[in-house]
Amino acid sequence: MLSKSTLDTIDWKILRELQDDGRMTNVELSRRVGISAPPCLRRVKRLEDSGVIRGYRALLNAKDLGLDVVAFCLVGLQHQSDAELKAFAERARNWSLVRRAWMVSGESDFMLHCVASDLSTFQTFVIEELTSAPNVDTVRTALTIKQVKDEGLVSIDG
């Protein structure tokens, strides 16, 4: 199992480069991090096998696909037993409009990142599915106005 303390400078360079461009060839990656291609490929494979690199995906432009509404929902549950938290988490995983979800501390229990084609679709989701879901007590929504930063999900210094 790899951990932060077992990663060396080259591993961190590999992670930084792949987070910026996961489609580059191994040859290009090895050139950017300053090692030859075979050991670079072995390092990437080790990072993947250990779970440090969870996978690769295309980042889609939601607006170009007609998905114009991005919103966050803060959800408070009536009861926070382990079973109730797990049940809501499973429900959130099954809502296609919810793209990312976190269990959070504080006044709310969950924060949902939602993407919808239009305001009406989002409102229907909130009213007919989210607020009517079992054990949901409160829902606070925040519509985004403009995205001002879009970076990789992990900050890598250097």
Side-chain angles (χ1 to χ4, degrees):
M1 185 58 129
L2 293 180
S3 65
K4 183 177 180 180
S5 64
T6 61
L7 299 177
D8 66 16
T9 305
I10 298 297
D11 292 328
W12 285 106
K13 286 180 181 179
I14 288 170
L15 294 172
R16 186 177 316 105
E17 293 296 333
L18 287 176
Q19 184 169 246
D20 288 343
D21 180 5
R23 285 189 54 138
M24 78 177 76
T25 66
N26 183 59
V27 171
E28 176 62 18
L29 178 60
S30 66
R31 185 192 65 73
R32 289 186 188 187
V33 301
I35 62 175
S36 63
C40 184
L41 187 60
R42 283 192 298 273
R43 283 173 175 262
V44 170
K45 178 83 169 110
R46 189 186 82 215
L47 291 165
E48 291 169 348
D49 290 346
S50 71
V52 171
I53 296 176
R54 294 184 316 151
Y56 301 88
R57 43 172 88 155
L59 299 175
L60 308 179
N61 186 324
K63 281 205 179 296
D64 286 354
L65 296 171
L67 300 166
D68 293 327
V69 174
V70 176
F72 290 89
C73 298
L74 292 169
V75 180
L77 302 181
Q78 293 170 357
H79 308 284
Q80 293 79 20
S81 70
D82 187 53
E84 294 287 359
L85 293 168
K86 286 178 180 174
F88 185 84
E90 183 60 30
R91 229 178 325 287
R93 282 191 285 276
N94 290 319
W95 285 319
S96 62
L97 198 133
V98 175
R99 304 312 305 159
R100 305 190 84 206
W102 299 266
M103 188 182 299
V104 296
S105 64
E107 293 180 26
S108 300
D109 298 302
F110 287 87
M111 182 170 67
L112 311 178
H113 171 216
C114 303
V115 179
S117 56
D118 52 54
L119 187 56
S120 177
T121 301
F122 176 68
Q123 289 172 326
T124 299
F125 164 73
V126 169
I127 294 166
E128 294 181 8
E129 294 189 58
L130 185 54
T131 59
S132 65
N135 195 35
V136 169
D137 184 38
T138 61
V139 174
R140 292 183 301 146
T141 62
L143 294 171
T144 64
I145 296 169
K146 177 181 177 180
Q147 186 174 37
V148 297
K149 186 174 182 177
D150 184 15
E151 295 290 329
L153 297 179
V154 177
S155 175
I156 300 175
D157 298 329

